[in-house]
Amino acid sequence: MRLKWWKENWQFLAAGVSGLLILLGWQTEGVVPAGATAGIFIAAFVIGGFDQAKEGILDTIKTRKLNVELLMVLAATGASIIGYWLEGAVLIFIFSLSGALETYTTNKSKREITKLMSFQPETAFLLLETGETEEVDVTSLKLQDLILVRPGERIPIDGVIVSGETSVDQSAINGESIPAQKGTHDEVFGGTVNLSGVIRMEVRKTADQTLFSQIIRMVKEAQSEPSHTAQFIERFEDKYVKAVLVLVFVMLFLPHFLLDWSWNETFYRAMVLLTVASPCALVASVTPATLAAISNGARNGILFKGGVHLENLRNVRAVAFDKTGTLTQGKPVVTDFFVAPEFDRTQVIDRIYALEQNSAHPLAEAIVRDFSKKRAESFTDLVMKDVPGFGVEAVIDGERWRVGKARFVGSEQAKKFAGSLSDTLPCEGKTLVYASCGEQVVAMIALKDVKREEAVHAVSSLKKRGIKTIMVTGDNEATGLAIGEEIGIDYVIAGCLPEQKVDVLRDLKAVYGSVAMVGDGINDAPALAHATVGVAMGEGTDIAMEAADVVLMKNDLEKLSYASVLSVRLGRVVKQNIAFSILVIISLVLANLFQSINLPFGVIGHEGSTILVILNGLRLLLPNRKLAKEKDKPEKMQKPEIYHLKTPAL
């Protein structure tokens, strides 16, 4: 393990050896011949500065732009020319140490990819037609191939279980420590661990399309896409270095003639200027901090597709949420069940179950899930008649039974049966389904797509930061307001068709400027792409994840609050770094002009500031403790308002 660490961070070793040589040269100075001391310092120069000098020269040739690495080499060389071997060597040593710290930060972030890739199996056991298994490369698997996964093995690829039951450790994907129970027809993901049972599964995605491969690809993209601030400083570096070289050139001559300095003093001050005016700390202000924040997010199940999106999240003033599957569970549940007193409750359950068990409608599936353990009798060979958009009917024991909307079973009879509940239950966000026997309505079922508990805390946390929250739903106003009030949403956009979501985003951006959109479905993808920051739920569709800028791998909206706080922390750290580095440069340059600082202190002040800004950026690797306290104090709920599109202001 230690050997691997040193292999990744060998620059620390080079800096350490350089430092030891400097100590040796300092101790032997005046004791051994001057040539031997110079040789020791030259060795310290080469060992400590070779990598930085090589990188600077190659980068200059490639981009045709000057950089701080060249300034450091020139400054160290200049100091040596005028006899300041020790100071020049110390400059190289501290510069190499700051470079090693920056490399460590980058490697720390890249290790998140390495961890992920180690979870991805390379082989799978393919089930042959003969019933035997053959170990094959995962990349050779095709859609609809059948594979065998034994207990303790990692599931090699995304697919669906065709036989067997097991519990699966999905922590590698969603961070959830509690195993998930999986059975026939359940979806499983590559990289997760089969804990308890033998399963046979059908391949549903190729190796390059799996959820795991998407995660790895997104983390890689995040590390290669710099933020706006990093891009600006990168462009600024070339111009700044040129300006410093011009000032140094002027400093080599002007003070001698204008201020009557000696040539030695003039050259010395020019070398000090070359050292202290280099923008090392400024250049290191952004990238290490951004990589640390991205690494922190990846470790906590938040994937940023680039530093620019992490930076943009800080400026978001409103968040639009898709309702179904994002703020709610996406699966309706039975909340109320009423049966006419003259009918047996169990018999009614049996008949409703018989009618709904073969329907693919989400409401029917919810009813079947709820009634499956309550029924007593089964009916076979029923002739079903499905009326799309209304309900289903069949004849059972010579009587016609219907399950569906009020209009399907008889509006008047449904209204009479439900009474005032037909008005109050929909206002609570519930959908009503009726059952009739002959011409009589005998039962009413209320269903509701229940809220995600974590959505309440996420919305509360965002509101505490002054961020407006808007729910976008195709449901009617009553349902939207009921769910919105439970969650604590500020505004509700009701009756919104999928194709209108892009218009919603345009309208919100006109009012608030920067707007985030959170969704999980195919119909959310265009809106996610149009938002300032698109956020996809990790268990949503592939298209939504592809269109989004940020992915919450665990379907936990509280991660959105964490991402928002992480973005603010990054902005704060970057501002601190930039302000500190500029202040240090200005102070050191002025001190040099007034001849009140020498080269050793200039080296320590300048390179010390570089190390400090990198260490300050590394703080973003630490978790945020503030959100845990906020979770215990959710905001007081209040009824949301209906937001009408094209409203000039809210």
Side-chain angles (χ1 to χ4, degrees):
M1 188 69 182
R2 288 183 178 180
L3 182 63
K4 183 181 179 182
W5 191 92
W6 282 112
K7 190 176 180 181
E8 288 182 350
N9 300 278
W10 62 269
Q11 288 175 318
F12 280 113
L13 181 61
V17 173
S18 176
L20 290 173
L21 288 171
I22 291 169
L23 285 174
L24 180 63
W26 177 53
Q27 289 292 327
T28 58
E29 199 168 15
V31 178
V32 300
T37 305
I40 293 172
F41 284 129
I42 289 172
F45 271 58
V46 173
I47 294 172
F50 176 78
D51 187 65
Q52 298 284 344
K54 177 185 174 183
E55 183 181 331
I57 292 168
L58 292 177
D59 191 54
T60 298
I61 294 171
K62 182 180 178 181
T63 63
R64 298 182 181 179
K65 293 179 180 179
L66 299 175
N67 50 56
V68 293
E69 285 83 1
L70 291 181
L71 283 186
M72 288 299 97
V73 172
L74 290 173
T77 304
S80 304
I81 290 172
I82 59 175
Y84 288 87
W85 286 98
L86 177 61
E87 287 80 357
V90 170
L91 173 61
I92 290 295
F93 165 69
I94 302 180
F95 189 62
S96 65
L97 183 60
S98 65
L101 273 173
E102 190 164 354
T103 302
Y104 170 77
T105 309
T106 304
N107 288 341
K108 182 77 173 173
S109 183
K110 286 182 177 178
R111 271 196 291 273
E112 300 301 330
I113 293 181
T114 307
K115 284 181 185 176
L116 289 173
M117 293 185 74
S118 67
F119 292 144
Q120 196 169 27
E122 296 180 356
T123 61
F125 289 98
L126 179 66
L127 277 168
L128 305 176
E129 292 182 359
T130 58
E132 298 178 346
T133 60
E134 178 186 356
E135 189 170 7
V136 298
D137 196 289
V138 171
T139 56
S140 68
L141 292 174
K142 302 184 293 295
L143 299 180
Q144 297 182 338
D145 276 350
L146 293 178
I147 58 176
L148 182 74
V149 187
R150 302 179 183 91
E153 294 179 347
R154 285 198 179 274
I155 295 170
I157 202 163
D158 291 8
V160 172
I161 296 175
V162 294
S163 67
E165 292 185 356
T166 187
S167 55
V168 179
D169 177 0
Q170 300 186 132
S171 58
I173 284 180
N174 60 19
E176 181 59 64
S177 59
I178 301 174
Q181 291 300 124
K182 299 285 184 177
T184 306
H185 305 308
D186 284 339
E187 190 175 15
V188 289
F189 303 101
T192 58
V193 182
N194 176 22
L195 295 176
S196 56
V198 177
I199 57 172
R200 291 173 176 79
M201 56 176 285
E202 180 183 305
V203 176
R204 289 292 175 90
K205 289 182 182 177
T206 56
D208 60 334
Q209 296 175 330
T210 63
L211 179 62
F212 220 83
S213 63
Q214 289 182 57
I215 294 172
I216 294 170
R217 185 169 65 251
M218 283 187 281
V219 176
K220 284 181 177 178
E221 288 171 355
Q223 293 176 337
S224 63
E225 187 176 352
S227 65
H228 292 306
T229 308
Q231 290 172 2
F232 171 77
I233 288 181
E234 192 176 316
R235 292 193 300 269
F236 170 78
E237 181 183 0
D238 177 56
K239 296 180 177 63
Y240 183 90
V241 170
K242 289 176 181 176
V244 169
L245 290 175
V246 170
L247 284 174
V248 169
F249 182 79
V250 172
M251 191 78 173
L252 284 168
F253 302 100
L254 190 62
H256 175 74
F257 297 106
L258 192 65
L259 303 175
D260 202 29
W261 290 2
S262 66
W263 279 113
N264 192 54
E265 178 69 9
T266 301
F267 192 81
Y268 178 77
R269 289 296 160 192
M271 292 304 99
V272 176
L273 177 64
L274 185 60
T275 301
V276 301
S278 298
C280 300
L282 190 60
V283 171
S285 294
V286 183
T287 302
T290 303
L291 288 175
I294 289 174
S295 179
N296 187 330
R299 197 168 59 246
N300 285 280
I302 308 163
L303 300 184
F304 298 96
K305 292 187 180 180
V308 63
H309 307 305
L310 181 55
E311 187 176 74
N312 286 341
L313 193 59
R314 182 171 67 252
N315 303 316
V316 164
R317 294 292 169 263
V319 179
F321 295 91
D322 168 56
K323 179 179 78 74
T324 306
T326 302
L327 291 173
T328 65
Q329 297 288 351
K331 293 182 178 180
V333 296
V334 174
T335 58
D336 305 275
F337 180 47
F338 305 94
V339 179
E342 63 270 27
F343 278 78
D344 180 76
R345 188 180 182 87
T346 303
Q347 287 184 350
V348 173
I349 287 175
D350 290 340
R351 282 149 180 76
I352 293 175
Y353 182 90
L355 267 68
E356 297 285 65
Q357 64 179 334
N358 295 315
S359 175
H361 194 282
L363 295 181
E365 291 177 351
I367 292 170
V368 169
R369 279 197 305 272
D370 188 78
F371 285 6
S372 61
K373 295 180 180 180
K374 301 175 183 177
R375 64 193 181 94
E377 186 180 0
S378 298
F379 295 94
T380 58
D381 301 325
L382 291 181
V383 179
M384 310 294 295
K385 181 181 179 183
D386 191 0
V387 183
F390 288 92
V392 62
E393 67 176 54
V395 175
I396 303 176
D397 295 335
E399 295 179 302
R400 186 183 66 179
W401 282 79
R402 285 183 172 182
V403 178
K405 292 182 176 180
R407 281 189 294 166
F408 185 55
V409 300
S411 299
E412 290 298 324
Q413 292 86 344
K415 178 70 175 176
K416 183 179 178 181
F417 178 89
S420 61
L421 291 175
S422 63
D423 296 320
T424 58
L425 291 177
C427 289
E428 296 173 8
K430 298 175 181 178
T431 301
L432 302 182
V433 174
Y434 297 89
S436 66
C437 176
E439 300 300 321
Q440 183 183 356
V441 174
V442 299
M444 181 178 72
I445 308 165
L447 302 100
K448 185 178 182 180
D449 186 4
V450 295
K451 68 184 180 185
R452 291 181 181 273
E453 289 300 328
E454 66 271 15
V456 177
H457 296 292
V459 167
S460 175
S461 180
L462 292 171
K463 289 169 72 174
K464 286 176 182 176
R465 290 175 178 77
I467 298 173
K468 293 294 183 182
T469 55
I470 300 105
M471 182 173 75
V472 182
T473 176
D475 280 337
N476 56 55
E477 289 188 6
T479 301
L481 288 171
I483 296 290
E485 186 173 6
E486 288 183 15
I487 296 172
I489 289 286
D490 289 312
Y491 298 97
V492 172
I493 300 176
C496 181
L497 298 175
E499 58 269 22
Q500 291 179 313
K501 288 186 178 181
V502 172
D503 295 329
V504 168
L505 262 295
R506 289 199 186 103
D507 192 26
L508 292 176
K509 287 170 78 173
V511 176
Y512 294 106
S514 294
V515 178
M517 170 71 190
V518 187
D520 69 329
I522 294 174
N523 60 336
D524 296 320
L528 292 172
H530 278 79
T532 309
V533 180
V535 183
M537 305 291 275
E539 294 177 15
T541 62
D542 292 346
I543 294 175
M545 290 175 63
E546 199 68 36
D549 306 308
V550 181
V551 178
L552 308 179
M553 290 317 303
K554 182 182 175 184
N555 268 22
D556 184 356
L557 278 177
E558 287 187 70
K559 298 296 183 184
L560 181 61
S561 303
Y562 191 96
S564 177
V565 171
L566 190 61
S567 178
V568 172
R569 287 178 65 199
L570 173 63
R572 190 182 301 125
V573 167
V574 167
K575 286 176 183 176
Q576 291 169 356
N577 286 350
I578 291 174
F580 175 72
S581 58
I582 291 174
L583 181 64
V584 169
I585 290 172
I586 292 174
S587 300
L588 292 175
V589 168
L590 290 175
N592 182 51
L593 290 176
F594 288 102
Q595 297 176 283
S596 58
I597 190 173
N598 55 25
L599 188 57
F601 282 105
V603 169
I604 293 170
H606 179 265
E607 292 304 317
S609 66
T610 305
I611 291 174
L612 285 176
V613 299
I614 293 174
L615 291 175
N616 193 39
L618 284 174
R619 289 193 301 121
L620 290 167
L621 288 169
L622 301 174
N624 181 64
R625 305 295 183 191
K626 186 179 178 183
L627 279 176
K629 296 178 181 178
E630 287 184 356
K631 185 175 178 180
D632 297 331
K633 300 177 181 178
E635 281 207 339
K636 184 179 179 181
M637 298 299 176
Q638 55 188 47
K639 195 174 181 67
E641 298 178 27
I642 285 291
Y643 170 55
H644 298 283
L645 298 183
K646 308 304 177 188
T647 302
L650 293 177

